[in-house]
Amino acid sequence: MSAEHTPEPGTPGETGPTGEHDSGPRHRGRRGRRKGLLIMAWTAAGIVALGGTGAGYLYFKLNGNIKSVDIDQALGTDRPTKADNGSENILVLGSDTRSGANRRLGGGTDDGSARSDTAMIIHVYRGHRRASVVSLPRDTLIDRPACTDPQGVRHDPADGVMFNSAYTTGGAACAVKTVESITGLRMDHYLEVDFSGFEKLIDELGGVQVTTTRAIDDPESHLRLKAGTHRLDGKQALGLVRTRHGVGDGSDLGRIQLQQAFVKALVTQVKHIALFTSPKNLYDLADTATKAVTTDSDLGTVNALMSFVNGLKGISASKMHMVTLPVRYDPADPNRVVVLPDKAQQIWTALKNDEPIPAAATEGNATGEAAGVVASS
């Protein structure tokens, strides 16, 4: 069934938590670092598409900014088959590297190691008019398959570990392999973004306007907002998508809901930004975006990203159905969540068949109690 002939996706679903090396109550925010992954992927790719129209030198410079990983070579042929219905699945991941420009953002370790802090599966329906986005809580307990890391070291499979341990163990390829193992869906593309690039990109876009329905005060993420409408700069936007203490029950479940609302606000705003008014501003945006992303090798050039984004530009915020992997708090450890398998399978089956996610899959799950705190303005 094509997306153009399917009913409109339902309202955003529930959300969930996230990190392997965390410990302590879920209300702490020390390791609660979450980027607006989809925000970065969507915006970065869009800016890249524009940047690719520049002169030859600028094009090659932007091309050189993009880092890529050959996922196909790393994983071989033992993978789910590609869909033949015109749809695409993209894994969007955020790595919490604590070195370089990211070190000043605080938290985590500063040894140059990286963790995946946020993960989203974007399913683009046939016709590229709609998308469903499934957030994967980092603290979800999963069974990780055997993985080989970028240095060629093989790691045995592990049961009952947190989702974000896949990236820590084996990098991008292991994260993709784990997601494919969990979902049974082939990931057609991979996009990864970082902290400092996100903050700078929001500033260069002129900020993002959101409305908060109640005050947010979180000293851990350095975010203080009164209830009302605000234009967030990069630092504030980063604080919003990282905040845990300021909303809901203090878990990552609530934070994911804020991120999903922020994504929609940004997607809506980007469509109205006059990017061509200043060639310098346009180039600065493209430069920041290309430095911020790591892609699979198929998207590892400006031309490839241009083509990719041209296929996404028709998807507005109203055509994005955002949900979270159905989970409940782990009775043995409230800092962790476990998958609700029957509901999760409803999502994977729907996406495999290029159909809307059924409402039943997103009802009655753990939410983090932060729904409705942020809405686009």
Side-chain angles (χ1 to χ4, degrees), residues 71 75 144-148 165-167 169-179:
I71 301 294
L75 298 187
R144 176 181 56 74
C147 289
T148 300
S165 71
Y167 183 87
T169 300
C174 189
V176 171
K177 186 175 183 179
T178 300
V179 169

Side-chain angles (χ1 to χ4, degrees), residues 15-16 247-255 257 329 365-371:
T15 54
V247 296
D249 65 5
S251 74
D252 274 342
L253 290 164
R255 179 163 54 186
Q257 293 186 50
Y329 292 114
N365 308 329
T367 67
E369 303 172 13

Side-chain angles (χ1 to χ4, degrees), residues 37 40-41 44 67 69 91-97 114-116 118 167 171-173 175 190-194 289-296:
L37 268 306
M40 283 290 293
K67 300 175 290 294
V69 179
L91 176 61
V92 181
L93 200 72
S95 60
D96 187 11
T97 305
R115 295 187 304 273
S116 66
T118 302
Y167 183 87
Y190 172 83
L191 283 170
E192 179 186 326
V193 294
D194 71 10
T290 50
K291 287 176 179 176
V293 298
T294 299
T295 73
D296 65 276

Side-chain angles (χ1 to χ4, degrees), residues 7 29 44 50 78-79 91 119 123 144 153 187-188 192 209 240 246 255 259 264 333 376:
L50 295 173
D78 186 17
R79 304 176 63 186
L91 176 61
H123 178 83
R144 176 181 56 74
V153 178
M187 295 298 110
D188 299 290
E192 179 186 326
Q209 184 169 295
L240 180 69
R255 179 163 54 186
Q259 293 168 355
K264 289 200 168 187
D333 184 353
S376 60

